[in-house]
Amino acid sequence: MEPAGAPPPSCAPAREAEEPPGSPALPAERPRDGEPARKAREEAAAVERSRGRGPAGRAARSAGRRGPEERGARAGRRPRVTVDSSKAKTSLEALKISLRQLRWREFPFGRRLPCDIYWHGVSFHDNYIFSGQVNKFPGMTEMVRKVMLSRAVRTMQDLFPVEYNFYPRSWILPEEFPLFVAEVRMMKESDPSWKPTFIVKPDGGCQGDGIYLIKDPSDVRLAGSLQSRPAVVQEYICKPLLVDKLKFDIRLYVLLKSLEPLEIYIAKDGLSRFCTEPYQEPTLKNLHQVFMHLTNYSLNIHSGNFIHSDNVNTGSKRTFSSILCRLSSRGADVKKVWSDIISLVIKTIIALTPELKVYYQSDIPAGKPGPTCFQILGFDILLMKNLKPMLLEVNANPSMRIEHEQELSPGVFENVPSPVDEEVKVAVIRDTLRLVDPHKKKRKDTQSQTSEHVSETREDLLDAGPAGGPEYETSKNPEAALPSLCLKQVFPKYAKQFNYLRLVDRVAALFIRFLGVKGTTKLGPTGFRTFIRNCKLSNSNFSMASVDILYIDITRRWNSMGFDHKESGMCLQAFVEAFFCLAQKKYKSLPLHEQVASLIDFCEYHLAALDEKRLLCGRGVVERRGAAVTCPTDGLEVTPALHAPLLNRTAAAGKLADCRSHRYPAAVSPGAGRD
């Protein structure tokens, strides 16, 4: 077997394309030397075949000697999965180990021919690809930044405040600085004993860059570059769970395998990253002590107290499972901790998916060639003293390095393997590849056909009686030597408990429907008016002039605080705000989530009726055209088949009944009904 990344032989690809695997070599063609000689050769070949000699006879005898399993194995020989790792960057070493374990083929310098999988280190746009699978979603890097994540979660907190109480109270700077000052003053007046601490995080920051703690809004560094680099200020969690008197956070790896349908997996183990100084609640004296308050690995590794350990249970970086074992020994309900973490992850991704779908249809429009996407996300979670998980942030490009730098002498560093990182990260990458294996379905079909063939042959052998030949065995499963998957599916497994939260997802579907031009992410005024008109939302109390005013006011405000000025129009978040405003006007006496759900039902009902009307009208036109077509031979009338797009819209009729009977299930904890 050739090593991963080895270049193919120069003639092998062409040969594989021309001949099925296992076929005999084709003889070189000899020059023609006259008709009599050709006839003589054909007669000699016929005699050889009748006697079982010659190349054809030898091939037939060889095929007869081979058992059915061997013949099936040769016929079912398949090419290995190909992976382009030229853009993998820091995850390259863990990826190489995973590919060796899977026996897949790596192309470390890229490939002219398409690969099955492209592994990017940073962004979806690292390469221009038109097929296969890529390990990044378009727009994910933008969506999980501090500001966008806070906005997405806040929208869900407006709808479901209890379900989304796992994210600290947040304000976006500089636009919400006056609101931040006013709310803090009001809370202090209502509760004089409240002495909060706040943490300021730059929007595009990573690895702890630019993070600092404050006790009062006046301490925010407004003189800096807030206009060019916005930030999020959050209420600081002052009572975290401590282990060995140290604060720590959890890095969990989450695989978003698909957006439509939504498919989420969570790694069964993660990393626990510790501070390097004993924790004390924040005071004016210790606010600046980052090794006490910030758990970022990239900061604490520079502390003199940082401990590199080969043991997963000790050191400044440990496995999450070791923490759970320790909590379990103290009598903590570890199953509830996991259940709450699963709930947090699913709810966070539900908050992110509406905007991701807009980005996706922009970069990969329906009907155009493009790759399918998956992505590994890094969730940073903090356990409070009462074991409640709190979301700190989501990383689109979590570090997959499996080594760390060690200073041998002043200024001289060496990369040293990290067993803790390798144990967790290699398993996550390897099992992600196993889940997205493009040949998996083909392999299952081949194995099922081979097993049927083998069972039939065994029955024939049993009927014939015992024989001295070898036993027949089915082909070995290539994954048999690998450990069980470290990734656990949580959605759609728990979809019934969480589908009622996906209201903004349905609003985004309305938004995408009226975008009009493929490849855009913003809705123009004409598209917004068409949405209002088709959904029957205008009336005597809400004229089209009022519609235009609503569009202009909301769009202008969102564009003034947005960072994407490449195209004008209404972004999804602005459309969601306008939709909420319309829902509050139409259904005044209901809670917000019921108002929004009712308006979604109302819009979907009218759009389904409109689709059905267009379907019937289109069918009538086709039938009228078909009535005029007659058979020229016998005069019989011929009705042509309906146009394919009309057949694709036949589901619209059933949408009416669905809208009438649509209901939302009550909230159930994710632990209910678990295996």
Side-chain angles (χ1 to χ4, degrees):
M1 182 173 295
E2 54 194 18
S10 58
C11 298
R15 192 69 177 177
E16 287 173 343
E18 294 168 0
E19 307 170 16
S23 55
L26 297 175
E29 185 177 355
R30 295 180 181 177
R32 302 173 68 97
D33 52 357
E35 188 68 21
R38 183 177 63 81
K39 288 185 177 180
R41 284 198 305 271
E42 289 178 353
E43 291 173 359
V47 173
E48 292 288 344
R49 281 197 300 270
S50 65
R51 295 177 179 177
R53 299 174 185 172
R58 285 194 298 270
R61 289 196 304 274
S62 175
R65 285 194 298 267
R66 286 198 299 264
E69 293 85 349
E70 188 178 351
R71 291 198 301 271
R74 293 201 175 199
R77 188 178 295 168
R78 51 179 170 69
R80 289 184 290 170
V81 179
T82 56
V83 180
D84 183 337
S85 63
S86 60
K87 303 289 184 179
K89 297 191 176 181
T90 58
S91 62
L92 183 59
E93 288 305 315
L95 178 63
K96 283 180 176 292
I97 294 174
S98 301
L99 294 177
R100 284 198 296 267
Q101 292 178 358
L102 294 170
R103 300 178 184 177
W104 290 4
R105 192 169 186 181
E106 180 193 3
F107 289 87
F109 304 108
R111 188 191 190 199
R112 285 189 302 170
L113 296 175
C115 281
D116 296 312
I117 295 173
Y118 295 83
W119 196 273
H120 290 180
V122 178
S123 159
F124 171 81
H125 299 285
D126 282 355
N127 255 336
Y128 293 102
I129 45 182
F130 303 98
S131 63
Q133 300 181 77
V134 61
N135 71 317
K136 301 292 179 187
F137 278 96
M140 181 66 82
T141 302
E142 293 79 7
M143 269 310 299
V144 300
R145 283 181 175 170
K146 313 292 192 301
V147 170
M148 291 289 281
L149 176 64
S150 296
R151 283 178 175 160
V153 175
R154 183 184 298 174
T155 299
M156 299 304 296
Q157 286 175 333
D158 291 340
L159 291 169
F160 306 100
V162 176
E163 287 86 343
Y164 280 82
N165 64 357
F166 56 80
Y167 193 66
R169 192 179 320 181
S170 307
W171 297 266
I172 297 169
L173 304 180
E175 64 197 61
E176 294 180 352
F177 182 72
L179 178 64
F180 172 48
V181 173
E183 289 189 357
V184 171
R185 184 190 304 117
M186 183 177 62
M187 287 185 286
K188 283 184 176 180
E189 290 174 355
S190 61
D191 184 8
S193 63
W194 185 57
K195 296 180 180 180
T197 302
F198 303 97
I199 183 168
V200 182
K201 303 177 181 179
D203 180 47
C206 61
Q207 299 181 341
D209 177 40
I211 298 177
Y212 61 96
L213 273 62
I214 61 174
K215 295 293 284 185
D216 190 84
S218 60
D219 299 328
V220 174
R221 300 168 190 170
L222 289 174
S225 56
L226 273 180
Q227 294 296 337
S228 59
R229 191 185 184 190
V232 170
V233 57
Q234 294 179 327
E235 196 170 350
Y236 182 75
I237 301 169
C238 295
K239 296 187 181 297
L241 177 69
L242 303 180
V243 171
D244 299 330
K245 299 182 180 180
L246 299 172
K247 179 181 176 181
F248 70 97
D249 74 351
I250 305 159
R251 164 63 60 84
L252 275 184
Y253 297 97
V254 175
L255 169 63
L256 180 57
K257 186 172 179 283
S258 168
L259 268 184
E260 193 62 51
L262 185 60
E263 197 168 349
I264 308 168
Y265 293 78
I266 296 181
K268 298 177 183 178
D269 204 356
L271 298 173
S272 299
R273 305 170 302 179
F274 282 76
C275 288
T276 48
E277 291 184 10
Y279 179 78
Q280 297 175 7
E281 290 197 20
T283 63
L284 290 174
K285 291 182 179 181
N286 65 26
L287 282 181
H288 65 282
Q289 297 184 21
V290 293
F291 297 148
M292 176 188 295
H293 295 292
L294 303 184
T295 56
N296 303 73
Y297 167 78
S298 54
L299 291 176
N300 283 279
I301 195 173
H302 299 294
S303 167
N305 297 327
F306 192 92
I307 301 173
H308 292 289
S309 175
D310 293 343
N311 191 329
V312 298
N313 301 307
T314 60
S316 297
K317 186 188 284 189
R318 315 176 193 178
T319 59
F320 180 45
S321 57
S322 69
I323 302 297
L324 290 177
C325 289
R326 193 159 176 174
L327 292 176
S328 179
S329 66
R330 296 179 184 176
D333 189 351
V334 174
K335 288 186 178 180
K336 185 179 187 306
V337 172
W338 257 120
S339 178
D340 292 342
I341 289 175
I342 290 171
S343 176
L344 178 152
V345 168
I346 294 175
K347 290 173 183 176
T348 302
I349 291 183
I350 285 176
L352 296 175
T353 48
E355 194 88 41
L356 286 174
K357 288 181 179 179
V358 175
Y359 278 109
Y360 195 91
Q361 65 81 34
S362 173
D363 281 271
I364 313 175
K368 289 190 177 181
T372 56
C373 302
F374 64 94
Q375 188 155 354
I376 298 172
L377 302 172
F379 274 66
D380 292 348
I381 298 170
L382 184 74
L383 287 179
M384 295 179 65
K385 198 172 183 178
N386 60 1
L387 298 183
K388 177 182 178 180
M390 299 292 289
L391 177 66
L392 300 181
E393 60 182 61
V394 180
N395 294 271
N397 302 304
S399 171
M400 286 295 177
R401 290 189 63 178
I402 55 175
E403 67 276 335
H404 61 83
E405 288 185 346
Q406 187 173 13
E407 190 170 10
L408 301 178
S409 59
V412 180
F413 293 89
E414 181 186 22
N415 284 334
V416 179
S418 172
V420 178
D421 286 293
E422 184 171 338
E423 178 178 329
V424 174
K425 295 176 182 178
V426 170
V428 169
I429 291 179
R430 180 195 65 225
D431 291 350
T432 293
L433 292 172
R434 290 167 69 184
L435 286 169
V436 301
D437 180 359
H439 296 174
K440 200 168 189 177
K441 186 176 185 303
K442 297 177 184 177
R443 192 179 307 129
K444 285 182 179 178
D445 295 341
T446 304
Q447 287 175 354
S448 63
Q449 293 173 3
T450 305
S451 62
E452 289 176 3
H453 194 168
V454 170
S455 62
E456 291 174 1
T457 307
R458 281 179 173 168
E459 289 177 3
D460 295 341
L461 291 171
L462 289 173
D463 292 340
E471 290 187 15
Y472 293 95
E473 295 180 357
T474 58
S475 59
K476 293 183 179 179
N477 184 353
E479 293 193 359
L482 296 175
S484 59
L485 286 172
C486 75
L487 295 166
K488 170 187 173 67
Q489 188 193 76
V490 296
F491 201 96
K493 183 175 183 179
Y494 301 129
K496 290 182 179 179
Q497 291 100 308
F498 296 95
N499 272 339
Y500 75 100
L501 300 173
R502 303 184 70 182
L503 293 182
V504 183
D505 233 16
R506 296 168 66 195
V507 175
L510 298 174
F511 176 80
I512 292 171
R513 173 177 175 137
F514 291 97
L515 278 177
V517 180
K518 287 184 177 180
T520 185
T521 61
K522 292 190 176 180
L523 185 68
T526 303
F528 189 72
R529 289 171 66 94
T530 305
F531 157 69
I532 296 292
R533 192 180 298 112
N534 288 359
C535 294
K536 312 290 184 186
L537 295 178
S538 60
N539 51 42
S540 57
N541 296 325
F542 188 63
S543 63
M544 293 307 292
S546 301
V547 170
D548 292 338
I549 293 172
L550 177 68
Y551 175 87
I552 292 170
D553 286 347
I554 293 180
T555 302
R556 184 179 296 165
R557 181 161 49 81
W558 275 92
N559 286 344
S560 66
M561 61 187 180
F563 316 115
D564 181 14
H565 301 288
K566 294 179 182 177
E567 54 179 318
S568 60
M570 175 180 274
C571 64
L572 175 63
Q573 292 172 329
F575 181 80
V576 169
E577 181 181 331
F579 196 90
F580 285 13
C581 180
L582 294 170
Q584 289 170 322
K585 285 184 177 181
K586 192 170 183 65
Y587 306 98
K588 297 180 180 179
S589 60
L590 298 174
L592 179 61
H593 70 276
E594 293 186 18
Q595 292 173 335
V596 172
S598 299
L599 185 59
I600 292 172
D601 286 343
F602 184 84
C603 293
E604 289 178 346
Y605 175 85
H606 284 288
L607 291 175
L610 181 64
D611 289 343
E612 184 181 26
K613 183 178 179 181
R614 289 173 178 170
L615 177 66
L616 295 175
C617 290
R619 185 177 294 166
V621 170
V622 173
E623 288 176 352
R624 285 196 296 273
R625 288 177 182 173
V629 179
T630 57
C631 180
T633 55
D634 54 7
L636 294 176
E637 292 187 355
V638 179
T639 303
L642 294 179
H643 198 258
L646 295 177
L647 293 175
N648 293 336
R649 295 200 300 266
T650 53
K655 186 73 175 176
L656 294 170
D658 293 342
C659 290
R660 293 190 184 100
S661 61
H662 190 81
R663 292 293 182 269
Y664 295 94
V668 183
S669 67
R674 293 180 60 187
D675 293 340

